[in-house]
Amino acid sequence: MKKLISACLCSCCLLPVFAQQTDTLKARAGGFSTELNVNLFESELNFNNVLKQIKGRYFISDQWAMRVAFSIDRKKENHDENQAYGTNAYFIKDTRKTFSYSLGAGFEYHFKGTRRLSPYLGAEAWFGKKKSSETIETKDQTTEIEGAWMQQSTIYVGSQYVYPITVTDYIEKGFVSGGFNLLAGFDFYVAKNFYLGYEFIVLGISIIKYDTIDITYTNPSSSSSAPVINGKDFEFGPSLINGIRVGYFF
């Protein structure tokens, strides 16, 4: 009888502890998550930020998680203009293409927090690449552009005598990029395995090397190349990531 009473007392003492350990809304070891990103200011719903990434996390333990994110994006535009009649007949066909991808990997350490709140610190490294090209065909000439899209506009200068000037700019530039980020964020669990969150870069390093833009003009009798100097961008410091993370654990 004494043994039975002792066993009951032990069970009663351990029950609150056991309930406290299992009664959690947060992810546990072995859980896998994916998430979207909601930008309230732009009314957009995208995969993990405006980068169109798909992000996944796997919890090795209750505190440690691995994270992987990747993206693939392809864009093609066709613009045709054709005036076959009259003294100023012309034909223009403009084809633009871009293809880009990125890959990131890292880890997170989640602190105890509360029953619903899971703050964490993390780190990730990432790599990305983008290729761009454009082909402009007319009746007399073909222009091949590698490394960007050409954009031309007309401005008018002068005071007494106003005359137009054509300004050429380049958009959708191709590049190779890479970097490393130290991260901080939190998950707030609205229901079991369903969370909202936010994340920002405590300290980040990013390097972008733009492709050299090569322009080749071709007609039936000759061809020439007009290269444009490439460039680099370097960033170092903290930054914010737009949008609220919405995720679910499996």
Side-chain angles (χ1 to χ4, degrees), residues 143-217:
T143 303
E144 297 280 354
I145 305 168
E146 292 291 337
W149 293 357
M150 180 185 290
Q151 181 172 273
Q152 292 184 324
S153 59
T154 302
I155 63 173
Y156 295 87
V157 298
S159 54
Q160 185 176 0
Y161 301 100
V162 179
Y163 56 94
I165 295 179
T166 301
V167 178
T168 301
D169 193 12
Y170 297 95
I171 60 175
E172 296 288 348
K173 296 179 181 178
F175 61 80
V176 176
S177 62
F180 180 80
N181 298 324
L182 297 178
L183 308 164
F186 67 88
D187 301 331
F188 184 81
Y189 288 80
V190 182
K192 186 174 179 60
N193 292 335
F194 179 74
Y195 63 91
L196 304 177
Y198 190 78
E199 185 177 272
F200 68 95
I201 298 174
V202 178
L203 188 63
I205 300 174
S206 67
I207 301 174
I208 302 177
K209 183 180 183 301
Y210 293 100
D211 295 345
T212 299
I213 305 172
D214 289 323
I215 308 173
T216 303
Y217 304 93

Side-chain angles (χ1 to χ4, degrees), residues 1-208:
M1 187 68 178
K2 291 182 179 180
K3 291 183 178 180
L4 180 60
I5 295 174
S6 300
C8 291
L9 290 175
C10 291
S11 300
C12 293
C13 293
L14 292 175
L15 184 60
V17 177
F18 179 76
Q20 185 178 4
Q21 290 177 348
T22 57
D23 184 20
T24 179
L25 303 176
K26 298 189 291 187
R28 306 300 296 269
F32 174 80
S33 78
T34 185
E35 62 187 49
L36 298 172
N37 186 275
V38 180
N39 194 323
L40 300 178
F41 298 101
E42 297 181 5
S43 301
E44 290 184 352
L45 180 67
N46 294 323
F47 282 113
N48 189 37
N49 313 324
V50 295
L51 301 177
K52 299 180 181 179
Q53 289 182 329
I54 298 176
K55 175 183 171 184
R57 296 190 295 181
Y58 178 76
F59 273 70
I60 305 171
S61 67
D62 291 352
Q63 288 77 38
W64 289 96
M66 297 185 301
R67 53 187 283 161
V68 177
F70 70 94
S71 69
I72 298 177
D73 189 36
R74 182 180 182 274
K75 183 163 50 175
K76 182 178 181 180
E77 295 183 3
N78 291 312
H79 302 280
D80 295 343
E81 294 184 25
N82 189 5
Q83 175 57 267
Y85 305 100
T87 56
N88 296 321
Y90 66 88
F91 164 78
I92 299 176
K93 182 179 181 180
D94 189 357
T95 304
R96 296 174 161 186
K97 299 177 183 178
T98 65
F99 176 76
S100 61
Y101 64 88
S102 66
L103 177 65
F107 64 88
E108 299 171 0
Y109 178 80
H110 288 249
F111 297 93
K112 183 177 180 180
T114 65
R115 182 169 177 264
R116 295 182 181 271
L117 183 64
S118 180
Y120 65 86
L121 295 175
E124 68 173 0
W126 55 272
F127 171 84
K129 185 173 178 59
K130 181 176 182 178
K131 292 182 66 66
S132 298
S133 64
E134 181 177 13
T135 302
I136 305 173
E137 300 176 71
T138 66
K139 181 181 178 181
D140 303 317
Q141 189 179 66
T142 299
T143 303
E144 297 280 354
I145 305 168
E146 292 291 337
W149 293 357
M150 180 185 290
Q151 181 172 273
Q152 292 184 324
S153 59
T154 302
I155 63 173
Y156 295 87
V157 298
S159 54
Q160 185 176 0
Y161 301 100
V162 179
Y163 56 94
I165 295 179
T166 301
V167 178
T168 301
D169 193 12
Y170 297 95
I171 60 175
E172 296 288 348
K173 296 179 181 178
F175 61 80
V176 176
S177 62
F180 180 80
N181 298 324
L182 297 178
L183 308 164
F186 67 88
D187 301 331
F188 184 81
Y189 288 80
V190 182
K192 186 174 179 60
N193 292 335
F194 179 74
Y195 63 91
L196 304 177
Y198 190 78
E199 185 177 272
F200 68 95
I201 298 174
V202 178
L203 188 63
I205 300 174
S206 67
I207 301 174
I208 302 177

